[in-house]
């Protein structure tokens, strides 16, 4: 547990805090529980006591060091979480100590041209940046740790969030205040997986009632797409994955048909076209594989089919499409954070879930719950395909 905290009546305001964090010292290495220093928040920043955090495949990809340009260590990973504001920096007016918050990797300042536009959920300053490892205000870090040589060294940030720590410092634009009655152990999934998948179905594709959908990759994001399509009333939701063990969970999320590419004997898009009389209305690529992206694109119906790209693609290979293929009416687009504007739209979604107006199956995504100290075991379960989301209690 942290040596200081919000629970002691706010005595930590303006002071450094020492707490436990799971530090990544290098690519492919297990995380190490370290005592780290967490500086007070600077201007337009907040310091948050993390109560729950979960693990996403993006964390796993960064820990593996799959993209050399993104390697910077030591680092605190993690970007799905929920917690309580401990203190706020100068200039922060929309957050206060004690507020329940969900960190978001795709921030929203609310004042720039991007935030004022209804055409995008990106922010001019605080949008997601996989190469960023420091804070916006001064290009510095708020974490420090003593290395094996006895030197105090900076620990770098990750995806605007760094939630694998008992305390973290966020840009205020990356902290969403939510209903204090909402269960934080479930709301942490809105930091990435559920918002990304459900939002892709609702906001990016605008899936319509009675439509047909194909989802390539049935991890947490893919299943969240299925959940979003189910809520929207899609008539047929086809799940594609090489792991048949995911099909049972898929049924729970409303997926109606399943295709294992290794078992169908023909290209997946041909199977889908046979099932849907020419192709699906919407396809979602959630695997990060360009060959799968190709199958997702050609599985949609000519004239109106839409493919939404959600997978993170570490490969330098380009998109496997010929420009002339777009003249048959199929379209393709990317999606960041489900096209939700985090600070202005997520609080309403939380309230709708609390009132029962929107019924998202949060519990279905949480396959494991563990103490923070077992974070490396949680990574192992995810890597072996045995976990959708493991929620860690700090």
């Amino acid at each position: 547990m942290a040596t200081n905290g919000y629970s002691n009546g706010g005595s930590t305001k303006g002071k450094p805090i020492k707490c436990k964090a799971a530090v990544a010292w290098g690519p492919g290495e297990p995380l190490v529980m370290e005592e780290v220093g967490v500086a007070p928040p600077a201007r337009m920043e907040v310091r948050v006591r993390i109560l729950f955090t979960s693990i996403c495949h993006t964390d796993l990809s960064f820990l593996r060091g799959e993209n050399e340009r993104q390697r910077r260590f030591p680092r605190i990973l993690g970007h799905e979480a929920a917690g309580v504001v401990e203190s706020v920096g100068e200039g922060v007016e929309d957050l206060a100590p004690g507020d329940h918050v969900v960190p978001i990797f795709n921030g929203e300042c609310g004042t720039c041209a991007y935030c004022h536009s209804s055409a995008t959920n990106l922010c001019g300053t605080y949008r997601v940046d996989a190469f960023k490892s420091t804070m916006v205000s001064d290009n510095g870090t708020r974490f420090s740790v003593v290395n094996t040589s006895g030197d105090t060294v900076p620990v770098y940030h990750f995806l605007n969030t760094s939630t694998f720590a008992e305390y973290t410092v966020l840009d205020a634009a990356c902290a969403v205040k939510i209903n204090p009655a909402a269960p934080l152990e479930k709301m942490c999934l809105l930091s990435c997986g559920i918002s990304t998948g459900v939002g892709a179905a609702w906001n990016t594709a605008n899936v319509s009632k009675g439509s047909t959908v194909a989802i390539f990759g049935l991890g947490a994001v893919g299943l969240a797409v299925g959940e979003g399509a189910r809520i929207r009333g899609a008539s047929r939701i086809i799940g594609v994955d090489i792991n048949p063990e995911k099909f049972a969970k898929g049924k729970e999320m409303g997926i109606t048909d399943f295709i294992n590419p290794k078992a169908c004997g023909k290209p997946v898009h041909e199977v889908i076209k046979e099932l849907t009389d020419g192709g699906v209305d919407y396809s979602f690529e959630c695997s990060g594989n360009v060959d799968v992206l190709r199958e997702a694109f050609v599985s949609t119906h000519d004239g109106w089919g839409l493919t939404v790209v959600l997978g993170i693609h570490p490969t330098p290979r380009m998109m496997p499409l010929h420009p002339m293929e777009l003249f048959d009416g199929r379209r393709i687009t990317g999606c960041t954070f489900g096209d939700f504007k985090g600070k202005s739209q997520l609080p309403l979604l939380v309230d709708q879930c609390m009132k029962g107006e929107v019924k998202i199956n949060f519990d279905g995504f949480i396959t494991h719950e563990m103490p923070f100290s077992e974070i490396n075991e949680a990574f192992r379960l995810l890597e072996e395909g045995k976990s959708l989301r493991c929620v860690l209690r700090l």
Side-chain angles (χ1 to χ4, degrees), residues 54-57 79-80 189 192-194 220-221 365-369 382 387-391:
S54 52
I55 300 172
C56 170
H57 265 285
H79 64 286
E80 275 194 350
L189 302 186
C192 179
I194 287 183
V221 170
F365 290 89
I366 302 172
T367 53
H368 298 78
E369 297 180 62
L382 181 66
S387 169
L388 276 179
R389 282 295 186 266
C390 178
V391 174

Side-chain angles (χ1 to χ4, degrees), residues 210-221:
S211 61
T212 54
V213 171
I215 304 165
F216 290 74
L218 298 181
V221 170

Side-chain angles (χ1 to χ4, degrees), residues 105 126 385:
F105 59 82
Y126 299 101

Side-chain angles (χ1 to χ4, degrees), residues 57 80 189 192-202 207 213-232 234 237-259 284-287 310-311 359-367 382 385-389:
H57 265 285
E80 275 194 350
L189 302 186
C192 179
I194 287 183
S195 295
T196 298
V198 169
W202 292 357
V207 169
V213 171
I215 304 165
F216 290 74
L218 298 181
V221 170
L223 291 175
V225 172
E227 182 76 351
R230 177 191 65 78
I231 293 172
R232 277 292 180 91
I237 306 173
I238 302 168
V240 182
D241 203 289
I242 59 174
N243 183 356
E245 294 182 5
K246 295 182 177 180
F247 293 171
K249 177 61 71 173
K251 288 182 179 179
E252 184 181 330
M253 300 299 180
I255 294 177
T256 59
D257 302 83
F258 299 91
I259 299 173
F284 298 83
E285 183 278 313
C286 308
S287 69
L310 293 162
K359 299 183 185 299
I360 296 175
N361 182 11
F362 287 92
D363 291 333
F365 290 89
I366 302 172
T367 53
L382 181 66
K386 297 178 179 177
S387 169
L388 276 179
R389 282 295 186 266

Side-chain angles (χ1 to χ4, degrees), residues 101-255:
V101 293
V102 170
I104 52 173
F105 59 82
N106 193 52
E108 182 187 357
C109 73
T111 60
C112 70
Y114 294 89
C115 288
H116 284 162
S117 171
S118 61
T120 182
N121 70 331
L122 299 179
C123 174
T125 302
Y126 299 101
R127 69 177 64 185
V128 59
D129 181 355
F131 300 101
K132 177 184 168 191
S133 57
T134 54
M135 300 299 291
V136 168
S137 64
D138 60 1
N139 201 33
T141 74
R142 303 294 174 263
F143 300 113
S144 61
V145 69
V146 177
N147 64 16
T148 54
S149 300
D151 300 319
T152 299
V153 297
V155 181
Y156 294 104
H157 295 255
F158 175 70
L159 289 183
N160 293 329
T161 47
S162 292
T163 63
F164 292 164
E166 291 177 322
Y167 284 83
T168 191
V169 175
L170 311 169
D171 295 302
C174 296
V176 178
K177 180 180 177 179
I178 64 169
N179 188 331
L184 292 180
E185 68 274 17
K186 299 178 183 180
M187 295 303 104
C188 70
L189 302 186
L190 291 176
S191 284
C192 179
I194 287 183
S195 295
T196 298
V198 169
W202 292 357
N203 304 324
T204 313
N206 193 18
V207 169
S208 56
K209 185 175 182 179
S211 61
T212 54
V213 171
I215 304 165
F216 290 74
L218 298 181
V221 170
L223 291 175
V225 172
E227 182 76 351
R230 177 191 65 78
I231 293 172
R232 277 292 180 91
S235 63
R236 197 161 199 172
I237 306 173
I238 302 168
V240 182
D241 203 289
I242 59 174
N243 183 356
E245 294 182 5
K246 295 182 177 180
F247 293 171
K249 177 61 71 173
K251 288 182 179 179
E252 184 181 330
M253 300 299 180
I255 294 177

Side-chain angles (χ1 to χ4, degrees), residues 319-337:
M319 189 177 294
L321 308 175
H322 191 282
M324 295 304 295
E325 291 183 290
L326 299 175
F327 283 85
D328 68 1
R330 293 185 177 95
R331 294 169 296 141
I332 186 168
T333 188
C335 171
T336 299
F337 196 55

Side-chain angles (χ1 to χ4, degrees), residues 53-72:
T53 189
S54 52
I55 300 172
C56 170
H57 265 285
T58 302
D59 300 309
L60 181 59
S61 296
F62 271 80
L63 185 59
R64 288 170 172 167
E66 292 179 355
N67 188 322
E68 292 188 8
R69 292 177 58 208
Q70 296 170 350
R71 293 181 181 179
R72 197 168 191 188

